[in-house]
Amino acid sequence: MSPVSKNKGVIDTKKKRLKIDICGAVQGVGFRPFVYRLATELGLAGWIINNENGVSIEVEGEVGILKIFLQKLETCKPKRSIISSIKNEEYEPIGYSKFVIKNSAIGGEKTLAIQPDIATCKDCLSEIFDSNNRRYLYPFTNCTNCGPRFSIIESVPYDRETTTMRDFKMCPLCEKEYNDPADRRYHAQPNACPVCGPHIELWDRNGNCLKQSHEAITTAVEEILKGKIVAVKGIGGFHLITLAEDEKAVLRLRKLKHREAKPLALMFPSIEIVKGVCILNNVEESLLLSPESPIVLLKRKSNPDINIAPSIAPKNPYLGVMLPYTPLHHILMRLIGKPIVATSGNISDEPICIDNKEAIERLGDIADFFLVHNRRIVRHIDDSVVAVFNGEPVVLRRSRGYAPLPVEINRQTRPVLAVGGHLKNTVAFAFRNKVFISQHIGDLETYQAYLAFKRATSDLPQMYEKKATAIVCDLHPDYLSTKFAEESGLPLLKVQHHYAHILSCVAENKIDYPVLGIAWDGTGYGVDGTIWGGEFLLVNQGEFKRVAHLKQFLLPGGDLAVKEPRRAGLGALYEIYGDSVNRKIPTFQSFANNELKIIFKRLKDGDTFPRTSSAGRLFDAVASIIGLKQICQFEGQAAMELEYAIGDCKIEDEYPISIVGVEDGKPDKNKETKFL
């Protein structure tokens, strides 16, 4: 196989053979059938095969036709596929008689981008509700354009034997679809039907089976309509479901789930019903209807067409809304016909349940019934959350539909594991020029959450059959993720919290150094031992300088101030006014006199409380001072309510800002700049 030329395009002779290597997210999205159909239509011969990096193709034919083939590989590829790179070499033809799809190659380094779980496509949805179709009302219908991916895959390449679908042997009809390159279910790894695939059951709290198949679904719907709570096993874990209009049921769910005030996610039967309750623009509508199908934050209408229980999102002008994204959800919502609460199947601060028996144990005191199935879930995957700002979508929680697609960086790296922070934890695994990002794990506040974190730290390296050569963690010495990294035995790099925030923006947007990064945040351990959070960092390759920050103030109670904005309020007021502060301000009214005496004595001592430059704590302080929020029921509540109180107000006056640490108009190199 001596090459005629390499990477120089097609030579203008009658016939040639191309060897093409494509890297990217090209498995599980119908890419091989697409290439098969394209080559067949163009009269080209050869083969395509999955490998650890993507796909390899050999194709031969007339030079002009090969040029068209190369062009259409990129311009006509399946929508869900992502091509990172294409390399081709030219050879003399060897006389292939037809184009074929080969079985996946095994061996070599694995760099393949794994596809996220994808919402049900229109073709499958049409079949589900077609009474003449053999998949009529079957809750596990899928094809190469939709269905589970990351939630069921155990290793790459993405083949049925490397997923939990190996538990189900395909019937002759499904196997025929699976092996037909012209069928949209060609090598759809989760392919199944009522004869051979997973099935659904309704259980009581003790795990006793009450109903099976479609009768299980209809009975669950009857109970939901009565105001009951049903735990429903979906694509990446369980949801806790009850009627969104039923205030009594929602309050009961909140009490049992220990989720006093944090907003609950809603699932609507259709986009039309969403429009009757919320205001949405074209970007928000397209997100709701997208294959990612995330929860989208939408502004409520002042006079909605239907009732939503007040306790869904107290004092919040927004609702977190999603549409059905699995066949089971579509069937449920078609029968219910009303919005439902579809919140994570967990107790607050724990990861969602993915196993049937685990759900009975952990959710048995919450759910009245359990709608379960026997397709194993490999890893928990929460719903993603997206908001639209200035017409652009911003992912607030990156999970189902997005994870574990990588971010490509402009450098090569050895295998490195990054273990994230304490709140809203996510881990990442980097090698070569890719950073593979895990699903959202959550706050490391409970033993269950820490176990999920540990599973995620081993998950991505194992999937790619690699071992981390170094580990990266936050600078904070008390984070569980930091302690895990310290105990790993790997070479350790600790990174300051806000420096990491800015580096992630640099990597994701491929920005060249140097950059001025502005990180406004709640809490981050600073290199000086104080709590940072309102930072201006001058960042260059491998280093940063803290050139400015918000003026610091004392934080009475330290971490307790995160839950009690009134403490941040006292610290900020004392920093400005000292003992002469007006005690009639709402912040003071929320404390007992003896509490104030103790706190003010310690404030006068100066160094007994930590100092902070946090923008998040400053927002908390303002919320307390104006009497909006003194004690939070969930993280970030005070800042959220402050934002909502401001609403769409246009502030015409500007606050003057003084800058200290500047002499004669020039920065003092020995001082940090502080914004007052």
Side-chain angles (χ1 to χ4, degrees):
M1 188 183 287
S2 300
V4 175
S5 66
K6 294 185 178 182
N7 300 319
K8 294 181 180 180
V10 178
I11 299 173
D12 190 15
T13 56
K14 188 175 182 181
K15 282 192 175 184
K16 289 295 174 189
R17 174 168 54 101
L18 293 182
K19 187 179 185 301
I20 306 167
D21 289 310
I22 300 177
C23 294
V26 290
Q27 292 187 21
V29 290
F31 195 84
R32 287 183 299 168
F34 152 71
V35 173
Y36 171 87
R37 289 190 294 270
L38 177 61
T40 302
E41 289 169 5
L42 294 174
L44 301 173
W47 49 262
I48 181 172
I49 191 171
N50 275 348
N51 59 37
E52 291 82 0
N53 308 312
V55 297
S56 293
I57 303 169
E58 277 204 21
V59 61
E60 63 182 35
E62 294 182 6
V63 170
I65 303 299
L66 289 173
K67 287 182 178 179
I68 296 171
F69 177 79
L70 282 173
Q71 181 184 32
K72 289 193 173 185
L73 276 180
E74 295 195 69
T75 59
C76 301
K77 64 182 178 66
K79 290 182 180 180
R80 292 295 304 174
S81 62
I82 301 172
I83 294 177
S84 302
S85 65
I86 296 183
K87 296 179 181 178
N88 70 82
E89 300 176 349
E90 293 178 4
Y91 298 88
E92 292 294 341
I94 57 176
Y96 289 122
S97 59
K98 60 181 180 179
F99 196 89
V100 297
I101 299 175
K102 290 186 175 183
N103 292 329
S104 296
I106 298 175
E109 186 182 37
K110 299 180 179 182
T111 62
L112 173 74
I114 298 165
Q115 280 285 339
D117 300 287
I118 307 168
T120 307
C121 69
K122 291 182 179 179
D123 290 330
C124 285
L125 195 59
S126 176
E127 292 174 344
I128 292 165
F129 293 108
D130 178 0
S131 59
N132 295 317
N133 193 281
R134 72 188 187 94
R135 291 187 173 88
Y136 178 55
L137 298 179
Y138 183 56
F140 303 97
T141 302
N142 65 85
C143 68
T144 52
N145 301 317
C146 66
R149 300 289 190 274
F150 187 44
S151 61
I152 62 170
I153 190 171
E154 294 176 322
S155 65
V156 294
Y158 176 61
D159 284 324
R160 194 175 180 100
E161 288 306 307
T162 61
T163 74
T164 60
M165 284 302 295
R166 69 172 180 269
D167 298 343
F168 305 95
K169 179 176 173 57
M170 284 183 284
C171 68
L173 287 177
C174 285
E175 197 161 11
K176 181 180 179 183
E177 295 169 332
Y178 184 85
N179 291 314
D180 182 359
D183 195 289
R184 80 174 200 280
R185 291 192 169 90
Y186 176 77
H187 280 210
Q189 308 307 341
N191 188 32
C193 75
V195 173
C196 62
H199 67 271
I200 203 154
E201 295 180 346
L202 184 68
W203 291 2
D204 64 16
R205 286 179 164 180
N206 296 316
N208 300 312
C209 180
L210 305 176
K211 304 286 182 180
Q212 293 184 326
S213 301
H214 190 62
E215 193 176 1
I217 298 174
T218 57
T219 305
V221 168
E222 290 170 4
E223 297 300 335
I224 292 168
L225 291 172
K226 291 177 185 176
K228 300 293 186 181
I229 300 169
V230 178
V232 178
K233 187 178 181 182
I235 204 167
F238 279 80
H239 278 131
L240 289 167
I241 286 177
T242 197
L243 275 185
E245 67 181 12
D246 190 334
E247 175 73 355
K248 183 178 178 181
V250 175
L251 287 173
R252 177 170 170 255
L253 174 58
R254 280 197 176 281
K255 181 180 179 180
L256 295 172
K257 186 176 160 68
H258 306 304
R259 185 168 177 153
E260 291 82 4
K262 194 173 183 180
L264 298 168
L266 299 179
M267 182 177 286
F268 278 64
S270 67
I271 194 72
E272 290 74 26
I273 298 178
V274 174
K275 290 178 179 178
V277 176
C278 301
I279 303 166
L280 66 162
N281 57 37
N282 291 337
V283 178
E284 291 162 338
E285 182 173 350
S286 66
L287 283 167
L288 287 170
L289 296 169
S290 69
E292 292 80 10
S293 194
I295 297 170
V296 182
L297 298 186
L298 300 176
K299 192 78 174 284
R300 303 190 199 207
K301 284 186 172 181
S302 55
N303 295 301
D305 293 347
I306 57 176
N307 177 57
I308 298 295
S311 58
I312 293 288
K315 298 182 181 180
N316 194 323
Y318 292 88
L319 292 174
V321 172
M322 60 182 154
L323 292 175
Y325 57 84
T326 71
L328 177 57
H329 290 129
H330 279 286
I331 296 167
L332 281 169
M333 297 309 293
R334 183 74 65 97
L335 293 170
I336 295 171
K338 301 176 182 180
I340 58 170
V341 173
T343 188
S344 300
N346 60 2
I347 296 174
S348 290
D349 296 327
E350 291 186 357
I352 59 173
C353 296
I354 61 174
D355 178 76
N356 297 342
K357 291 183 179 179
E358 174 199 21
I360 292 291
E361 293 172 2
R362 289 173 53 198
L363 306 179
D365 293 333
I366 304 175
D368 300 300
F369 298 94
F370 293 78
L371 193 60
V372 303
H373 60 73
N374 61 337
R375 184 174 66 200
R376 290 184 293 117
I377 299 173
V378 174
R379 58 190 61 81
H380 81 278
I381 303 176
D382 269 299
D383 298 310
S384 295
V385 181
V386 179
V388 175
F389 296 104
N390 297 322
E392 294 292 330
V394 177
V395 179
L396 304 179
R397 185 169 79 186
R398 189 180 187 273
S399 203
R400 178 187 50 77
Y402 298 93
L405 290 176
V407 172
E408 293 193 5
I409 55 178
N410 293 327
R411 54 170 294 186
Q412 296 286 319
T413 180
R414 56 187 175 143
V416 176
L417 178 67
V419 295
H422 185 72
L423 299 179
K424 304 175 183 67
N425 182 273
T426 300
V427 304
F429 185 63
F431 63 93
R432 288 203 175 184
N433 68 328
K434 292 182 174 67
V435 181
F436 295 90
I437 304 170
S438 79
Q439 72 278 25
H440 167 82
I441 296 165
D443 301 346
L444 303 184
E445 298 281 353
T446 65
Y447 177 68
Q448 290 285 352
Y450 184 63
L451 288 180
F453 158 78
K454 290 181 70 175
R455 285 194 296 269
T457 59
S458 62
D459 195 17
L460 290 176
Q462 286 178 0
M463 192 172 294
Y464 288 97
E465 296 181 358
K466 291 185 178 296
K467 291 185 178 180
T469 58
I471 192 166
V472 182
C473 69
D474 194 278
L475 193 62
H476 199 299
D478 295 330
Y479 283 177
L480 287 177
S481 54
T482 300
K483 292 178 178 179
F484 173 86
E486 290 173 338
E487 295 168 1
S488 69
L490 293 169
L492 175 63
L493 175 63
K494 294 185 177 182
V495 180
Q496 200 282 322
H497 192 88
H498 303 97
Y499 180 39
H501 278 315
I502 293 165
L503 289 177
S504 69
C505 291
V506 169
E508 191 169 0
N509 295 283
K510 295 182 171 60
I511 302 170
D512 293 328
Y513 295 106
V515 300
L516 175 64
I518 303 172
W520 283 20
D521 191 14
T523 300
Y525 190 80
V527 296
D528 59 357
T530 65
I531 301 172
W532 289 11
E535 311 307 311
F536 295 71
L537 306 182
L538 182 61
V539 178
N540 220 318
Q541 185 74 49
E543 62 180 8
F544 77 90
K545 181 180 180 182
R546 190 191 193 198
V547 295
H549 60 84
L550 296 177
K551 186 178 181 181
Q552 293 178 327
F553 57 91
L554 292 171
L555 203 58
D559 289 343
L560 187 59
V562 176
K563 297 180 180 179
E564 297 186 18
R566 61 184 184 166
R567 293 178 176 272
L570 281 183
L573 288 168
Y574 185 82
E575 184 69 29
I576 300 169
Y577 298 106
D579 284 334
S580 62
V581 62
N582 182 351
R583 303 271 178 138
K584 293 182 180 180
I585 290 173
T587 299
F588 288 88
Q589 308 306 312
S590 68
F591 286 97
N593 287 334
N594 61 331
E595 289 180 292
L596 285 173
K597 286 180 182 179
I598 295 170
I599 292 173
F600 260 78
K601 183 181 183 304
R602 294 187 65 186
L603 284 170
K604 288 179 183 179
D605 291 343
D607 294 329
T608 58
F609 289 133
R611 298 189 67 83
T612 184
S613 57
S614 166
R617 300 293 79 81
L618 180 59
F619 295 155
D620 286 350
V622 173
S624 169
I625 291 167
I626 65 175
L628 193 62
K629 200 73 184 174
Q630 304 301 342
I631 297 177
C632 289
Q633 293 163 295
F634 61 89
E635 193 260 335
Q637 185 180 14
M640 287 172 60
E641 291 193 12
L642 180 62
E643 177 187 348
Y644 302 148
I646 296 169
D648 297 325
C649 294
K650 293 183 179 180
I651 301 173
E652 297 180 359
D653 293 332
E654 297 177 356
Y655 289 95
I657 297 177
S658 301
I659 301 176
V660 299
V662 176
E663 297 178 2
D664 302 323
K666 297 180 180 179
D668 185 339
K669 293 182 180 179
N670 298 317
K671 295 181 180 179
E672 292 178 334
T673 305
K674 304 173 184 178
F675 290 97
L676 295 176

